[in-house]
PDB file of all heavy atoms in Angstrom:
ATOM      1  N   LEU F 875       0.801  -1.216   0.000  1.00  0.00           N
ATOM      2  CA  LEU F 875       0.000   0.000   0.000  1.00  0.00           C
ATOM      3  C   LEU F 875       0.832   1.263   0.000  1.00  0.00           C
ATOM      4  O   LEU F 875       0.331   2.335  -0.306  1.00  0.00           O
ATOM      5  CB  LEU F 875      -0.914   0.008   1.234  1.00  0.00           C
ATOM      6  CG  LEU F 875      -1.823  -1.205   1.369  1.00  0.00           C
ATOM      7  CD1 LEU F 875      -2.606  -1.122   2.659  1.00  0.00           C
ATOM      8  CD2 LEU F 875      -2.760  -1.280   0.183  1.00  0.00           C
ATOM      9  N   ALA F 876       2.088   1.159   0.400  1.00  0.00           N
ATOM     10  CA  ALA F 876       2.965   2.319   0.490  1.00  0.00           C
ATOM     11  C   ALA F 876       2.366   3.396   1.390  1.00  0.00           C
ATOM     12  O   ALA F 876       2.375   4.580   1.078  1.00  0.00           O
ATOM     13  CB  ALA F 876       3.280   2.891  -0.893  1.00  0.00           C
ATOM     14  N   VAL F 877       1.804   2.943   2.494  1.00  0.00           N
ATOM     15  CA  VAL F 877       1.260   3.877   3.466  1.00  0.00           C
ATOM     16  C   VAL F 877       1.767   3.473   4.832  1.00  0.00           C
ATOM     17  O   VAL F 877       2.250   2.369   5.039  1.00  0.00           O
ATOM     18  CB  VAL F 877      -0.285   3.867   3.483  1.00  0.00           C
ATOM     19  CG1 VAL F 877      -0.832   4.315   2.163  1.00  0.00           C
ATOM     20  CG2 VAL F 877      -0.817   2.495   3.846  1.00  0.00           C
ATOM     21  N   SER F 878       1.648   4.373   5.803  1.00  0.00           N
ATOM     22  CA  SER F 878       1.999   4.052   7.176  1.00  0.00           C
ATOM     23  C   SER F 878       0.873   3.239   7.776  1.00  0.00           C
ATOM     24  O   SER F 878      -0.276   3.658   7.753  1.00  0.00           O
ATOM     25  CB  SER F 878       2.204   5.335   7.979  1.00  0.00           C
ATOM     26  OG  SER F 878       2.432   5.036   9.333  1.00  0.00           O
ATOM     27  N   VAL F 879       1.185   2.060   8.320  1.00  0.00           N
ATOM     28  CA  VAL F 879       0.170   1.156   8.825  1.00  0.00           C
ATOM     29  C   VAL F 879       0.120   1.242  10.337  1.00  0.00           C
ATOM     30  O   VAL F 879       1.134   1.110  11.014  1.00  0.00           O
ATOM     31  CB  VAL F 879       0.464  -0.293   8.401  1.00  0.00           C
ATOM     32  CG1 VAL F 879      -0.542  -1.235   9.019  1.00  0.00           C
ATOM     33  CG2 VAL F 879       0.433  -0.400   6.891  1.00  0.00           C
ATOM     34  N   ALA F 880      -1.078   1.456  10.861  1.00  0.00           N
ATOM     35  CA  ALA F 880      -1.285   1.425  12.303  1.00  0.00           C
ATOM     36  C   ALA F 880      -2.439   0.502  12.571  1.00  0.00           C
ATOM     37  O   ALA F 880      -3.534   0.709  12.073  1.00  0.00           O
ATOM     38  CB  ALA F 880      -1.596   2.824  12.835  1.00  0.00           C
ATOM     39  N   GLY F 881      -2.205  -0.557  13.304  1.00  0.00           N
ATOM     40  CA  GLY F 881      -3.247  -1.534  13.568  1.00  0.00           C
ATOM     41  C   GLY F 881      -4.303  -0.979  14.491  1.00  0.00           C
ATOM     42  O   GLY F 881      -4.136   0.083  15.095  1.00  0.00           O
ATOM     43  N   PRO F 882      -5.418  -1.687  14.623  1.00  0.00           N
ATOM     44  CA  PRO F 882      -6.518  -1.208  15.443  1.00  0.00           C
ATOM     45  C   PRO F 882      -6.121  -0.872  16.867  1.00  0.00           C
ATOM     46  O   PRO F 882      -6.624   0.072  17.444  1.00  0.00           O
ATOM     47  CB  PRO F 882      -7.499  -2.392  15.404  1.00  0.00           C
ATOM     48  CG  PRO F 882      -7.212  -3.069  14.101  1.00  0.00           C
ATOM     49  CD  PRO F 882      -5.726  -2.933  13.919  1.00  0.00           C
ATOM     50  N   SER F 883      -5.188  -1.636  17.451  1.00  0.00           N
ATOM     51  CA  SER F 883      -4.804  -1.375  18.826  1.00  0.00           C
ATOM     52  C   SER F 883      -4.067  -0.059  18.978  1.00  0.00           C
ATOM     53  O   SER F 883      -3.950   0.473  20.081  1.00  0.00           O
ATOM     54  CB  SER F 883      -3.918  -2.515  19.343  1.00  0.00           C
ATOM     55  OG  SER F 883      -2.738  -2.607  18.582  1.00  0.00           O
ATOM     56  N   ALA F 884      -3.552   0.476  17.865  1.00  0.00           N
ATOM     57  CA  ALA F 884      -2.793   1.719  17.931  1.00  0.00           C
ATOM     58  C   ALA F 884      -3.651   2.937  17.660  1.00  0.00           C
ATOM     59  O   ALA F 884      -3.182   4.062  17.750  1.00  0.00           O
ATOM     60  CB  ALA F 884      -1.638   1.676  16.923  1.00  0.00           C
ATOM     61  N   ARG F 885      -4.895   2.725  17.306  1.00  0.00           N
ATOM     62  CA  ARG F 885      -5.769   3.836  16.965  1.00  0.00           C
ATOM     63  C   ARG F 885      -6.510   4.321  18.202  1.00  0.00           C
ATOM     64  O   ARG F 885      -6.988   3.541  18.993  1.00  0.00           O
ATOM     65  CB  ARG F 885      -6.802   3.405  15.916  1.00  0.00           C
ATOM     66  CG  ARG F 885      -6.198   2.921  14.604  1.00  0.00           C
ATOM     67  CD  ARG F 885      -7.303   2.303  13.778  1.00  0.00           C
ATOM     68  NE  ARG F 885      -6.775   1.707  12.558  1.00  0.00           N
ATOM     69  CZ  ARG F 885      -6.861   2.278  11.375  1.00  0.00           C
ATOM     70  NH1 ARG F 885      -7.411   3.447  11.246  1.00  0.00           N
ATOM     71  NH2 ARG F 885      -6.383   1.666  10.307  1.00  0.00           N
ATOM     72  N   ALA F 886      -6.644   5.630  18.322  1.00  0.00           N
ATOM     73  CA  ALA F 886      -7.401   6.190  19.446  1.00  0.00           C
ATOM     74  C   ALA F 886      -8.888   6.145  19.131  1.00  0.00           C
ATOM     75  O   ALA F 886      -9.302   6.372  17.999  1.00  0.00           O
ATOM     76  CB  ALA F 886      -6.970   7.640  19.693  1.00  0.00           C
ATOM     77  N   VAL F 887      -9.701   5.825  20.134  1.00  0.00           N
ATOM     78  CA  VAL F 887     -11.145   5.847  19.948  1.00  0.00           C
ATOM     79  C   VAL F 887     -11.593   7.282  19.749  1.00  0.00           C
ATOM     80  O   VAL F 887     -11.219   8.175  20.500  1.00  0.00           O
ATOM     81  CB  VAL F 887     -11.859   5.236  21.164  1.00  0.00           C
ATOM     82  CG1 VAL F 887     -13.366   5.426  21.045  1.00  0.00           C
ATOM     83  CG2 VAL F 887     -11.519   3.768  21.288  1.00  0.00           C
ATOM     84  N   GLN F 888     -12.357   7.518  18.712  1.00  0.00           N
ATOM     85  CA  GLN F 888     -12.807   8.861  18.383  1.00  0.00           C
ATOM     86  C   GLN F 888     -14.316   8.938  18.511  1.00  0.00           C
ATOM     87  O   GLN F 888     -15.022   7.985  18.247  1.00  0.00           O
ATOM     88  CB  GLN F 888     -12.396   9.231  16.952  1.00  0.00           C
ATOM     89  CG  GLN F 888     -10.885   9.176  16.733  1.00  0.00           C
ATOM     90  CD  GLN F 888     -10.514   9.443  15.302  1.00  0.00           C
ATOM     91  OE1 GLN F 888     -11.320   9.958  14.531  1.00  0.00           O
ATOM     92  NE2 GLN F 888      -9.300   9.108  14.927  1.00  0.00           N
ATOM     93  N   SER F 889     -14.798  10.098  18.926  1.00  0.00           N
ATOM     94  CA  SER F 889     -16.231  10.325  19.058  1.00  0.00           C
ATOM     95  C   SER F 889     -16.583  11.581  18.285  1.00  0.00           C
ATOM     96  O   SER F 889     -16.558  12.689  18.828  1.00  0.00           O
ATOM     97  CB  SER F 889     -16.618  10.481  20.532  1.00  0.00           C
ATOM     98  OG  SER F 889     -16.324   9.315  21.239  1.00  0.00           O
ATOM     99  N   ASP F 890     -16.851  11.436  16.996  1.00  0.00           N
ATOM    100  CA  ASP F 890     -17.121  12.608  16.192  1.00  0.00           C
ATOM    101  C   ASP F 890     -18.554  12.581  15.675  1.00  0.00           C
ATOM    102  O   ASP F 890     -19.049  11.555  15.240  1.00  0.00           O
ATOM    103  CB  ASP F 890     -16.142  12.731  15.019  1.00  0.00           C
ATOM    104  CG  ASP F 890     -15.933  11.427  14.274  1.00  0.00           C
ATOM    105  OD1 ASP F 890     -16.554  10.421  14.644  1.00  0.00           O
ATOM    106  OD2 ASP F 890     -15.159  11.438  13.321  1.00  0.00           O
ATOM    107  N   ASP F 891     -19.204  13.727  15.730  1.00  0.00           N
ATOM    108  CA  ASP F 891     -20.566  13.851  15.222  1.00  0.00           C
ATOM    109  C   ASP F 891     -20.489  14.299  13.767  1.00  0.00           C
ATOM    110  O   ASP F 891     -20.231  15.474  13.490  1.00  0.00           O
ATOM    111  CB  ASP F 891     -21.337  14.877  16.054  1.00  0.00           C
ATOM    112  CG  ASP F 891     -21.543  14.384  17.472  1.00  0.00           C
ATOM    113  OD1 ASP F 891     -22.130  13.303  17.620  1.00  0.00           O
ATOM    114  OD2 ASP F 891     -21.106  15.073  18.404  1.00  0.00           O
ATOM    115  N   ARG F 892     -20.726  13.387  12.846  1.00  0.00           N
ATOM    116  CA  ARG F 892     -20.661  13.724  11.436  1.00  0.00           C
ATOM    117  C   ARG F 892     -21.894  13.188  10.734  1.00  0.00           C
ATOM    118  O   ARG F 892     -22.668  12.425  11.300  1.00  0.00           O
ATOM    119  CB  ARG F 892     -19.401  13.151  10.814  1.00  0.00           C
ATOM    120  CG  ARG F 892     -18.117  13.610  11.504  1.00  0.00           C
ATOM    121  CD  ARG F 892     -16.984  13.696  10.555  1.00  0.00           C
ATOM    122  NE  ARG F 892     -15.765  14.121  11.218  1.00  0.00           N
ATOM    123  CZ  ARG F 892     -14.594  14.200  10.599  1.00  0.00           C
ATOM    124  NH1 ARG F 892     -14.487  13.836   9.340  1.00  0.00           N
ATOM    125  NH2 ARG F 892     -13.537  14.607  11.241  1.00  0.00           N
ATOM    126  N   VAL F 893     -22.051  13.584   9.497  1.00  0.00           N
ATOM    127  CA  VAL F 893     -23.206  13.123   8.738  1.00  0.00           C
ATOM    128  C   VAL F 893     -23.097  11.610   8.529  1.00  0.00           C
ATOM    129  O   VAL F 893     -21.996  11.064   8.513  1.00  0.00           O
ATOM    130  CB  VAL F 893     -23.287  13.845   7.375  1.00  0.00           C
ATOM    131  CG1 VAL F 893     -23.491  15.327   7.584  1.00  0.00           C
ATOM    132  CG2 VAL F 893     -22.019  13.601   6.561  1.00  0.00           C
ATOM    133  N   PRO F 894     -24.218  10.929   8.388  1.00  0.00           N
ATOM    134  CA  PRO F 894     -24.168   9.482   8.186  1.00  0.00           C
ATOM    135  C   PRO F 894     -23.391   9.110   6.928  1.00  0.00           C
ATOM    136  O   PRO F 894     -23.452   9.811   5.915  1.00  0.00           O
ATOM    137  CB  PRO F 894     -25.647   9.101   8.058  1.00  0.00           C
ATOM    138  CG  PRO F 894     -26.392  10.207   8.701  1.00  0.00           C
ATOM    139  CD  PRO F 894     -25.581  11.445   8.453  1.00  0.00           C
ATOM    140  N   THR F 895     -22.656   8.035   7.007  1.00  0.00           N
ATOM    141  CA  THR F 895     -21.926   7.504   5.860  1.00  0.00           C
ATOM    142  C   THR F 895     -22.294   6.041   5.697  1.00  0.00           C
ATOM    143  O   THR F 895     -22.130   5.247   6.632  1.00  0.00           O
ATOM    144  CB  THR F 895     -20.402   7.634   6.048  1.00  0.00           C
ATOM    145  OG1 THR F 895     -20.040   9.013   6.117  1.00  0.00           O
ATOM    146  CG2 THR F 895     -19.656   6.969   4.891  1.00  0.00           C
ATOM    147  N   THR F 896     -22.809   5.692   4.529  1.00  0.00           N
ATOM    148  CA  THR F 896     -23.166   4.305   4.237  1.00  0.00           C
ATOM    149  C   THR F 896     -22.062   3.662   3.424  1.00  0.00           C
ATOM    150  O   THR F 896     -21.704   4.146   2.335  1.00  0.00           O
ATOM    151  CB  THR F 896     -24.495   4.233   3.468  1.00  0.00           C
ATOM    152  OG1 THR F 896     -25.538   4.761   4.283  1.00  0.00           O
ATOM    153  CG2 THR F 896     -24.819   2.791   3.098  1.00  0.00           C
ATOM    154  N   VAL F 897     -21.520   2.564   3.933  1.00  0.00           N
ATOM    155  CA  VAL F 897     -20.471   1.810   3.259  1.00  0.00           C
ATOM    156  C   VAL F 897     -21.085   0.498   2.787  1.00  0.00           C
ATOM    157  O   VAL F 897     -21.615  -0.276   3.592  1.00  0.00           O
ATOM    158  CB  VAL F 897     -19.284   1.524   4.196  1.00  0.00           C
ATOM    159  CG1 VAL F 897     -18.192   0.745   3.462  1.00  0.00           C
ATOM    160  CG2 VAL F 897     -18.728   2.831   4.764  1.00  0.00           C
ATOM    161  N   LEU F 898     -21.008   0.241   1.493  1.00  0.00           N
ATOM    162  CA  LEU F 898     -21.590  -0.970   0.917  1.00  0.00           C
ATOM    163  C   LEU F 898     -20.488  -1.864   0.361  1.00  0.00           C
ATOM    164  O   LEU F 898     -19.675  -1.429  -0.461  1.00  0.00           O
ATOM    165  CB  LEU F 898     -22.559  -0.604  -0.210  1.00  0.00           C
ATOM    166  CG  LEU F 898     -23.106  -1.770  -1.035  1.00  0.00           C
ATOM    167  CD1 LEU F 898     -23.908  -2.724  -0.170  1.00  0.00           C
ATOM    168  CD2 LEU F 898     -23.948  -1.247  -2.199  1.00  0.00           C
ATOM    169  N   PHE F 899     -20.477  -3.114   0.799  1.00  0.00           N
ATOM    170  CA  PHE F 899     -19.550  -4.114   0.275  1.00  0.00           C
ATOM    171  C   PHE F 899     -20.284  -4.970  -0.749  1.00  0.00           C
ATOM    172  O   PHE F 899     -21.346  -5.537  -0.464  1.00  0.00           O
ATOM    173  CB  PHE F 899     -19.026  -5.000   1.402  1.00  0.00           C
ATOM    174  CG  PHE F 899     -18.219  -4.262   2.433  1.00  0.00           C
ATOM    175  CD1 PHE F 899     -18.784  -3.911   3.644  1.00  0.00           C
ATOM    176  CD2 PHE F 899     -16.898  -3.911   2.190  1.00  0.00           C
ATOM    177  CE1 PHE F 899     -18.055  -3.231   4.611  1.00  0.00           C
ATOM    178  CE2 PHE F 899     -16.152  -3.224   3.134  1.00  0.00           C
ATOM    179  CZ  PHE F 899     -16.733  -2.881   4.350  1.00  0.00           C
ATOM    180  N   GLN F 900     -19.709  -5.071  -1.937  1.00  0.00           N
ATOM    181  CA  GLN F 900     -20.264  -5.889  -3.013  1.00  0.00           C
ATOM    182  C   GLN F 900     -19.234  -6.907  -3.459  1.00  0.00           C
ATOM    183  O   GLN F 900     -18.027  -6.653  -3.419  1.00  0.00           O
ATOM    184  CB  GLN F 900     -20.661  -5.018  -4.206  1.00  0.00           C
ATOM    185  CG  GLN F 900     -22.079  -4.533  -4.187  1.00  0.00           C
ATOM    186  CD  GLN F 900     -23.087  -5.667  -4.343  1.00  0.00           C
ATOM    187  OE1 GLN F 900     -22.738  -6.850  -4.369  1.00  0.00           O
ATOM    188  NE2 GLN F 900     -24.351  -5.312  -4.431  1.00  0.00           N
ATOM    189  N   GLY F 901     -19.722  -8.072  -3.916  1.00  0.00           N
ATOM    190  CA  GLY F 901     -18.792  -9.068  -4.409  1.00  0.00           C
ATOM    191  C   GLY F 901     -19.403 -10.447  -4.478  1.00  0.00           C
ATOM    192  O   GLY F 901     -20.624 -10.608  -4.573  1.00  0.00           O
TER     193      GLY F 901
END
């Protein structure tokens, strides 16, 4: 990916109020 990878344990829990986002997985 050529990106900096941070696993889930390294991510801070965030609480942001934003507009709804729908993510659809197809396959």
Side-chain angles (χ1 to χ4, degrees):
L875 304 177
V877 297
S878 175
V879 176
S883 61
R885 300 170 185 258
V887 173
Q888 301 176 16
S889 298
D890 46 1
D891 293 303
R892 303 211 181 176
V893 297
T895 296
T896 297
V897 181
L898 172 62
F899 297 101
Q900 269 293 6

